[in-house]
Amino acid sequence: MNVDLFDFTLPAERIALRPASPRESARMLVVRGDGMRDRTVSDLPGELRAGDLLVFNDTRVIPAQLEGTRGAARIGATLHKREGPRRWRAFIRNAKRVRDGDTIDFGAGVSAMASERAADGSIALDFAGDEPVELLLERAGRMPLPPYIAAKRPTDARDAEDYQTMFAREAGAVAAPTAALHFTPALIAALEAAGIGHTTLTLHVGAGTFLPVKADNTDDHVMHAEWGRIDQATADRLNATRARGGRVISVGTTSLRLIESAADADGIIHPFEGDTAIFITPGYRFRGIDGLVTNFHLPRSTLFMLVSALMGLDRMQAAYAHAIVNEYRFYSYGDASLLLP
């Protein structure tokens, strides 16, 4: 498909720079087959049915942005995907000043050797020393806010809490599964009281989620792989929910993509552990999920293509036009949508 079909104009003032407070007070556009209506995230228990199951991503964002030097050159690194105990693949700012075998000094006693430049421009970084890389990042790294926020204000202490979900447990993401940022223990309790359950899986979101689609046609776009895991107990619960007539509602495109990666042609979800580079565009037949809670995405992005595949391109263009006119807040710290095909 032509990527231009997924374009729209978003005024800069619609980009949220801070999350709503309290989190569940964020607005929520409910989009169904029969139309759309304006709600708040706190209304979610009344928008779902008893027996439905929400699926959250329990990945935890690590301080994956580093600033360092290679000789006199200033080098920036955004970690993308773990490839070994001490090796991460990273997108490098000022990469032309880095050659294979160069050591980049990130300060605070943290350094890494660069090697293996890939076709996507990323470079492998092997961190020196014996300390766990997680400890090194805590010393030298900072929270990797999306570029559309970082370009407007610096990362600060608030982001260390604001950019983690209440489910964050498995360290390894370089971007938050932002739909879950709206959820609080009080909202989960209200959902449970309404007979709506929840469970978790793990997908470590990579920096590739922020990269624009540069191809003119979706067939020419290459997705970055991300590592995920669904254990047997979670797969069994997802299958049992649907078998008894409940709906599996993904909270965020990350949990959706992992479930769809683990589902077979008959809609049975299997345990999964490994990389997925699934790319969902209109025409895709969803096999494992029945609905989605998600934020509002960038124009021409793979995520806007995904929601258009779920709900239809014309309907999502209309929903986004409604959200813009009615001053919804967009992107990672923005408002939510509930999509029920």
Side-chain angles (χ1 to χ4, degrees):
M1 296 184 71
N2 192 317
V3 173
D4 287 343
L5 294 171
F6 303 94
D7 203 3
F8 57 89
T9 300
L10 181 73
E13 61 269 21
R14 298 273 62 80
I15 300 173
L17 300 183
R18 297 284 185 187
S21 181
R23 294 189 180 203
E24 66 267 37
S25 69
R27 298 173 71 191
M28 180 176 71
L29 180 61
V30 179
V31 185
R32 301 177 186 265
D34 58 354
M36 67 185 82
R37 53 183 174 175
D38 303 302
R39 292 290 186 267
T40 64
V41 173
S42 61
D43 295 323
L44 189 60
E47 297 294 335
L48 300 178
R49 301 194 298 246
D52 288 345
L53 183 68
L54 293 168
V55 187
F56 295 90
N57 185 357
D58 66 5
T59 191
R60 184 172 184 82
V61 183
I62 59 174
Q65 283 193 329
L66 298 159
E67 295 290 334
T69 57
R70 200 283 299 161
R74 298 290 304 176
I75 306 296
T78 300
L79 303 188
H80 165 53
K81 184 174 182 293
R82 190 168 209 151
E83 294 190 333
R86 308 200 65 74
R87 170 173 284 205
W88 278 80
R89 189 152 289 279
F91 294 110
I92 303 295
R93 190 180 73 250
N94 205 12
K96 65 180 182 293
R97 302 295 297 273
V98 177
R99 298 181 297 273
D100 281 6
D102 282 350
T103 294
I104 304 172
D105 181 1
F106 294 113
V110 178
S111 63
M113 186 180 72
S115 65
E116 297 184 15
R117 191 183 302 260
D120 63 4
S122 66
I123 292 175
L125 295 179
D126 290 285
F127 285 87
D130 300 318
E131 289 179 279
V133 173
E134 290 79 5
L135 293 181
L136 302 181
L137 296 178
E138 289 292 338
R139 285 211 307 269
R142 70 174 188 270
M143 191 64 73
L145 282 186
Y148 45 76
I149 295 176
K152 294 176 177 291
R153 66 166 180 82
T155 304
D156 58 29
R158 284 178 56 184
D159 294 307
E161 180 177 349
D162 285 348
Y163 203 54
Q164 298 283 13
T165 76
M166 65 173 285
F167 304 96
R169 183 175 68 242
E170 301 291 336
V174 302
T178 53
L181 293 177
H182 301 295
F183 288 77
T184 63
L187 178 55
I188 291 295
L191 288 159
E192 290 177 344
I196 301 157
H198 71 278
T199 190
T200 61
L201 45 70
T202 304
L203 182 83
H204 290 324
V205 192
T209 192
F210 299 129
L211 295 181
V213 177
K214 296 181 178 179
D216 293 327
N217 193 287
T218 57
D219 291 342
D220 299 322
H221 178 69
V222 178
M223 290 285 284
H224 288 81
E226 296 165 314
W227 183 91
R229 179 178 60 229
I230 300 175
D231 62 26
Q232 183 70 60
T234 301
D236 289 345
R237 189 173 182 193
L238 297 173
N239 292 324
T241 295
R242 300 182 91 193
R244 62 174 177 263
R247 296 176 298 182
V248 170
I249 309 293
S250 291
V251 179
T253 57
T254 61
S255 61
L256 182 152
R257 288 188 292 113
L258 188 58
I259 291 171
E260 291 298 312
S261 299
D264 64 22
D266 296 321
I268 303 301
I269 299 158
H270 299 274
F272 183 99
E273 184 167 355
D275 287 347
T276 178
I278 189 170
F279 182 23
I280 296 174
T281 59
Y284 177 86
R285 183 177 69 86
F286 288 85
R287 303 182 296 189
I289 65 98
D290 305 293
L292 173 66
V293 178
T294 188
N295 286 14
F296 292 93
H297 304 295
L298 282 74
R300 301 172 63 91
S301 66
T302 61
L303 301 183
F304 185 63
M305 294 171 191
L306 183 155
V307 297
S308 298
L310 181 63
M311 300 301 297
L313 176 58
D314 289 345
R315 181 173 292 141
M316 290 314 300
Q317 286 282 18
Y320 273 49
H322 173 92
I324 292 168
V325 168
N326 288 277
E327 300 186 348
Y328 276 73
R329 303 164 71 247
F330 272 61
Y331 303 164
S332 293
Y333 277 157
D335 294 320
S337 61
L338 171 62
L339 309 180
L340 296 170

